[in-house]
Amino acid sequence: MLDAVVVGAGPNGLTAAVELARRGFSVALFEAKGTVGGGARTEELTLPGFRHDPCSAAHPLAVSSPAFRGLPLERYGLEWLHPELPMAHPFPDGTAAVLARSVGETAASFGPRDAGAYRRLVTPFLHRWDTLVRDFMSLPLTALPRDPVTLARFGLVGLPPSTWLARRFRDERARTLFAGLVAHVMAPLSGFATSAIGLVFALAAHTRGWPVARGGSQAVSDALAGYLRELGGAVHTDYEVKRLDDLPPARAYVFDTSPTALARIAGFGDHYARYRYGPGVFKIDYALDGPVPWTAPEARRAGTVQIGADSAEIGAALRAASREKQAPDAPFLITVQPSVVDPTRAPDGKHVFWAYGHVPHGWTGDLTDAIERQLERFAPGFRDRVLARATAGPPELAARNANYVGGDIATGAVSGLQTLLRPKLSLSPYTTPHPAVFLCSQATPPGPGVHGMPGHNAAKAVWRRLRQT
């Protein structure tokens, strides 16, 4: 009998399996798709030689993750590449605000009226980032805070809505960039703890950067899988699990799935019936004949580029997708251009690029024209560079990855108390009604992103049980 079986080979399932195998437990991992990866895959979606990331592409949380930093992933081929600028946010007048590694450069891009306010916002946390990120990504109850004072101070700043934090800034440039940071998790700007979301992304950029993985996000998953195999763990792909009886006997079962999928497989009935899924996204992967022709020079040097004319436009786009249940006319876009720093991603002189906008949960329309109109506002002539495009709305995203219910790439709404208390109110969010069954997906704390911390935290709950039995 195995000690643990893990279902789902996304970053969290892989991390949970690695953590258990490192502690001497026998582990087997089962993945429905033909390759490991989940939200961290790389495929030729458009033309031969163009390597696209179907979901996550830039990795500010991965490079800061306590889970990943404790693993020798570089031995298994993972190499982080840092663009000259982590992120840029262009404006219609051809200028841009930037999120640079340097706090000073970032503050200067906001203008003199907000430079000081930004410095005062981030400086108290910069030199405590490694401890702070471990504390808030390890909660709840998986580890005692190492720096409770700084964590409490961060909570005072981060728990209010981002619209409150935006009042610190006098001009629109800083407000717009910060609104865009919050929108990375598809949360309305007025939501609970949205200030913390924006602040985390800003601090991550200043301390560790927003890198891409050389060769694509698949390198993150392949490194985890390689380490797992070296530790003696088995990886089985093309193996769909529909019920617990499909799996070999084990002392513990760990699921990197959505809560509703786990309930269906394990026979938990309506245990997660109140769990809420959020808006979906409409994503386009592009093969380009050259770099994106951004008007703002800063955007040409950035790995990630946010697109939204101002904070009001960003807020309206989020409200349309989440509350009004309609596709926005001017969608807020998150775009990533990996080939500005990684030439292995496309043939010589060519580029890969992706963009997505928020749409209602389960939306079946086509946002291509609206997305490209937005891109043309900030990069005139963009359409002329397009060699091929691969589009994916909520139905296609859910078909590629069953955890993206209704196109929700966060595997659950990041709003209200569910921002912190996922998948339900519980002191032990990784445990389930069955003592031998655990949940480790991004539907558990600390939530969405390629960072492995839900898997890391869930593994702690698993090995505590295994040592008791």
Side-chain angles (χ1 to χ4, degrees):
M1 177 183 289
L2 290 163
D3 290 318
V5 163
V6 179
V7 177
N12 290 309
L14 286 162
T15 301
V18 164
E19 295 287 8
L20 292 168
R22 289 175 76 199
R23 285 155 180 83
F25 297 111
S26 57
V27 180
L29 185 149
F30 294 85
E31 165 60 40
K33 299 295 184 180
T35 59
V36 302
R41 298 180 189 271
T42 303
E43 302 172 14
E44 290 188 345
L45 296 174
T46 56
L47 300 173
F50 290 83
R51 295 180 55 77
H52 304 274
D53 296 322
C55 191
S56 182
H59 297 286
L61 299 182
V63 75
S64 292
S65 166
F68 289 174
R69 287 174 62 79
L71 303 176
L73 300 183
E74 67 284 349
R75 286 194 349 226
Y76 302 90
L78 178 60
E79 180 183 355
W80 295 119
L81 301 177
H82 291 267
E84 186 176 343
L85 285 173
M87 193 271 286
H89 194 121
F91 298 104
D93 65 358
T95 66
V98 301
L99 187 59
R101 293 295 296 270
S102 162
V103 173
E105 184 178 355
T106 303
S109 77
F110 296 152
R113 300 210 308 171
D114 287 328
Y118 185 77
R119 288 178 181 274
R120 290 189 293 274
L121 174 64
V122 300
T123 298
F125 307 110
L126 288 175
H127 299 298
R128 296 179 173 88
W129 172 247
D130 286 343
T131 301
L132 178 63
V133 74
R134 179 178 293 275
D135 283 349
F136 70 70
M137 293 184 87
S138 296
L139 296 176
L141 299 182
T142 57
L144 293 175
R146 297 186 178 193
D147 187 350
V149 173
T150 301
L151 184 62
R153 185 174 184 178
F154 182 84
L156 288 174
V157 177
L159 291 179
S162 67
T163 48
W164 291 19
L165 187 147
R167 297 173 187 171
R168 294 176 178 234
F169 304 121
R170 301 175 66 183
D171 293 329
E172 189 57 37
R173 297 172 70 87
R175 292 174 187 155
T176 300
L177 182 139
F178 202 85
L181 293 178
V182 173
H184 280 245
V185 292
M186 300 182 287
L189 301 179
S190 59
F192 171 70
T194 46
S195 293
I197 293 166
L199 190 53
V200 163
F201 281 121
L203 291 169
H206 296 317
T207 54
R208 300 286 178 189
W210 281 28
V212 299
R214 181 183 289 276
S217 295
Q218 187 73 48
V220 179
S221 303
D222 287 348
L224 287 164
Y227 187 33
L228 175 61
R229 292 187 179 100
E230 183 179 284
L231 292 167
V235 178
H236 305 278
T237 55
D238 288 312
Y239 194 108
E240 185 176 1
V241 177
K242 296 183 178 179
R243 54 187 182 275
L244 285 179
D245 290 345
D246 293 335
L247 297 167
R251 297 166 62 202
Y253 297 89
V254 190
F255 283 78
D256 183 8
T257 67
S258 69
T260 45
L262 171 59
R264 183 176 63 252
I265 293 168
F268 291 159
D270 61 357
H271 182 70
Y272 296 112
R274 294 186 179 180
Y275 187 72
R276 296 178 292 109
Y277 293 97
V281 303
F282 191 97
K283 180 173 181 287
I284 309 179
D285 286 278
Y286 291 97
L288 300 180
D289 195 30
V292 179
W294 302 109
T295 302
E298 296 89 343
R300 302 171 200 163
R301 301 184 285 123
T304 299
V305 181
Q306 297 178 166
I307 298 297
D310 53 37
S311 59
E313 182 176 285
I314 295 171
L318 293 172
R319 286 194 301 274
S322 60
R323 295 176 182 169
E324 299 165 12
K325 308 301 181 185
Q326 62 185 22
D329 293 329
F332 168 71
L333 304 181
I334 296 170
T335 77
V336 181
Q337 41 190 17
S339 46
V340 300
V341 70
D342 183 5
T344 71
R345 301 293 296 276
D348 287 347
K350 313 301 182 185
H351 286 263
V352 293
F353 175 72
W354 69 235
Y356 73 72
H358 306 94
V359 295
H361 182 86
W363 191 69
T364 57
D366 187 346
L367 202 66
T368 302
D369 186 59
I371 287 175
E372 294 187 353
R373 285 200 311 270
Q374 279 285 72
L375 291 171
E376 287 281 346
R377 289 175 70 189
F378 301 90
F382 170 79
R383 283 191 173 105
D384 296 335
R385 298 281 173 94
V386 176
L387 297 173
R389 59 176 64 81
T391 62
E396 293 79 18
L397 291 169
R400 289 180 185 172
N401 188 330
N403 286 4
Y404 298 160
V405 178
D408 175 7
I409 59 174
T411 315
V414 185
S415 61
L417 289 178
Q418 193 170 285
T419 302
L420 302 178
L421 301 175
R422 301 160 69 90
K424 61 191 306 181
L425 178 62
S426 172
L427 293 176
S428 183
Y430 312 101
T431 59
T432 72
H434 193 298
V437 177
F438 299 82
L439 184 64
C440 75
S441 70
Q442 61 181 0
T444 62
V450 176
H451 47 70
M453 286 303 294
H456 174 86
N457 294 341
K460 291 184 178 181
V462 175
W463 76 60
R464 286 170 184 153
R465 170 174 168 76
L466 293 177
R467 287 170 177 165
Q468 294 170 357
T469 58

